[in-house]
Amino acid sequence: QGKVISLWDRSGDLIDSLSLENRVIEARVLPQSKKLLVYDDSKDLTLVNLEDKSAQSLSGHEFPISAIAITEDGKFFLSGDLGGTTILWNNDGTLLQQLDAHAEAISSLCFTRAGQQWVSGGMDGKVHLFSREGEKLATYSHPAKVTALTVIPNDTFLLAGLRNGEIWEWSFAGQHLSSYIGHRKRVNAI
């Protein structure tokens, strides 16, 4: 169960199905390409060529993958794992850089709109802003585990959803701008 990816066209007709070895957690199409990025309940990513259905396994994590993010142009993607490690890849599957970003599991990843920076959220209660080259630009600390992230489209501030139900707003300069309280339980998405 959960080991098949179905591909549909915009009118709702089934185009094809792909069978994989492990239970699929998430699958995303890389923009501007004919590739599908899949992570499952293992330590590897799968990059599927949608034209010839070939699958490339991408290894590098020591722990199961817990989050992925893709740049808007589809040229780069990130993966994060339950051990706190992030890996930056290019869209042909080449591992570009590996960072021990968090003391606990990565819960959320996202790129800025321009793709020049990326943000990681962890169960250690921290959010880190990195340059695409891997330089840590800022760290934002929270009173609870980080469970969701988003960068506002103008790339000037971000929102972090927390396990305690709060959402914190930060400037990229590291200034805590506001807290939004109202959810009774964890914030799963922003």
Side-chain angles (χ1 to χ4, degrees):
Q1 208 178 51
K3 297 180 181 183
V4 175
I5 295 175
S6 298
L7 303 172
W8 306 84
D9 66 18
R10 291 180 185 248
S11 64
D13 295 325
L14 182 66
I15 299 170
D16 203 352
S17 294
L18 306 170
S19 295
L20 299 172
E21 286 185 35
N22 297 310
R23 183 177 63 92
V24 175
I25 305 295
E26 186 173 353
R28 293 190 195 176
V29 174
L30 271 66
Q32 315 300 322
S33 78
K34 303 256 187 203
K35 295 179 183 177
L36 183 70
L37 179 64
V38 180
Y39 83 92
D40 55 34
D41 53 7
S42 74
K43 297 182 261 184
D44 297 333
L45 292 164
T46 303
L47 194 58
V48 179
N49 182 319
L50 295 173
E51 292 182 323
D52 65 10
K53 310 299 182 281
S54 62
Q56 176 185 3
S57 182
L58 308 179
S59 301
H61 287 282
E62 292 182 37
F63 296 91
I65 294 166
S66 53
I68 58 173
I70 302 169
T71 57
E72 282 192 13
D73 63 8
K75 292 182 181 177
F76 300 95
F77 57 90
L78 285 167
S79 54
D81 68 30
L82 295 176
T85 299
T86 57
I87 297 179
L88 176 67
W89 311 82
N90 71 11
N91 68 356
D92 71 359
T94 302
L95 189 155
L96 300 175
Q97 149 187 131
Q98 187 167 346
L99 294 171
D100 291 326
H102 290 269
E104 294 182 39
I106 303 289
S107 57
S108 191
L109 295 167
C110 60
F111 280 97
T112 59
R113 188 174 190 103
Q116 297 302 312
Q117 298 168 321
W118 56 273
V119 183
S120 64
M123 299 306 275
D124 58 3
K126 305 246 188 276
V127 170
H128 301 299
L129 173 67
F130 292 93
S131 70
R132 193 166 62 204
E133 293 73 33
E135 177 188 357
K136 191 183 294 182
L137 304 173
T139 297
Y140 315 92
S141 296
H142 300 88
K145 297 173 186 286
V146 176
T147 52
L149 279 175
T150 194
V151 174
I152 300 307
N154 64 6
D155 290 348
T156 58
F157 64 96
L158 62 92
L159 298 172
L162 308 181
R163 179 170 263 173
N164 68 2
E166 296 177 10
I167 297 174
W168 282 37
E169 180 181 358
W170 294 91
S171 72
F172 271 27
Q175 181 183 5
H176 177 227
L177 302 173
S178 189
S179 295
Y180 305 97
I181 301 168
H183 296 280
R184 292 184 194 175
K185 297 185 179 180
R186 75 185 265 162
V187 176
N188 292 315
I190 300 176

